[in-house]
Amino acid sequence: KKHGHPVVHARREIFRQDKVNGEGVRSVRRAGSNAVLPEKIRREIPDISLTTDIIVGFPGETEEDFQETLDVVRQVRYDSAFTFIYSKRTGTPAAVMEDQIPEDVVKDRFNRLLHEVQTISAEQCAIHEGTVQTVLVECVNEHDNHLMTGRMSNNLLVHFPG
């Protein structure tokens, strides 16, 4: 038990899910509620790591939709995010949808998202700099054999002298 709750792993994912209907993309999250759940979770489990997966450029995505995604990223302040560019796959319903997003627009949105995610992630990771933490060592660092690589209890990847 940790903070009064049984915890196997102090890592959770919060999803902003979009559903596709006949008219395009429709958000299923409630406006204004983006930061409430993460704040509550962080109060209850201070050492939690919040992560997400984000796909940019799904057919029908508007600049407004994309800005909402950026707003969620800024409000939640994910420790990390796996970001992807939508890839048109033959034989899938999305491949034949109207309103495919031009490649240059998708790349621009992806780059803006990546910049935001990396900036926030660096800030979130910096909180732990100079602290002593329990780490499960995984291996000698692939890029510097003077460093070890491991994970903290919240799944945060760390590199340290070893």
Side-chain angles (χ1 to χ4, degrees), residues 3-161:
H3 305 288
H5 303 285
V7 174
V8 175
H9 203 323
R11 178 178 179 256
R12 298 288 182 271
E13 293 187 7
I14 296 175
F15 295 96
R16 174 186 182 263
Q17 183 176 359
D18 292 325
K19 286 189 175 180
V20 177
N21 62 21
E23 300 168 1
V25 178
R26 176 175 51 90
S27 177
V28 295
R29 67 175 170 74
R30 283 181 230 165
S33 65
N34 299 334
V36 175
L37 182 58
E39 286 175 9
K40 183 176 180 182
I41 292 170
R42 284 192 171 113
R43 254 192 326 273
E44 294 291 321
I45 311 168
D47 61 342
I48 196 163
S49 178
L50 300 177
T51 67
T52 191
D53 298 330
I54 303 171
I55 297 174
V56 174
F58 192 82
E61 177 187 75
T62 65
E63 181 62 26
E64 182 181 350
D65 295 331
F66 176 71
Q67 286 299 322
E68 285 183 22
T69 298
L70 284 179
D71 289 344
V72 171
V73 167
R74 290 177 186 126
Q75 290 172 3
V76 174
R77 297 191 53 79
Y78 294 105
D79 294 278
S80 67
F82 298 96
T83 55
F84 306 92
I85 291 176
Y86 162 76
S87 174
K88 188 175 179 179
R89 309 270 172 164
T90 304
T92 63
V96 295
M97 290 178 68
E98 294 182 19
D99 297 329
Q100 297 288 326
I101 310 301
E103 186 177 338
D104 62 325
V105 173
V106 173
K107 286 183 178 181
D108 174 66
R109 289 178 184 171
F110 182 78
N111 289 335
R112 288 188 283 155
L113 173 66
L114 194 59
H115 178 265
E116 196 69 39
V117 164
Q118 289 175 335
T119 300
I120 292 169
S121 181
E123 292 168 0
Q124 293 296 99
C125 289
I127 293 168
H128 301 288
E129 285 182 21
T131 66
V132 176
Q133 302 286 335
T134 301
V135 173
L136 176 62
V137 178
E138 294 180 350
C139 62
V140 173
N141 185 285
E142 295 175 9
H143 304 289
D144 183 344
N145 63 5
H146 295 96
L147 296 176
M148 302 300 291
T149 296
R151 293 191 183 270
M152 294 174 25
S153 64
N154 64 2
N155 203 38
L156 184 66
L157 188 67
V158 293
H159 309 285
F160 55 93

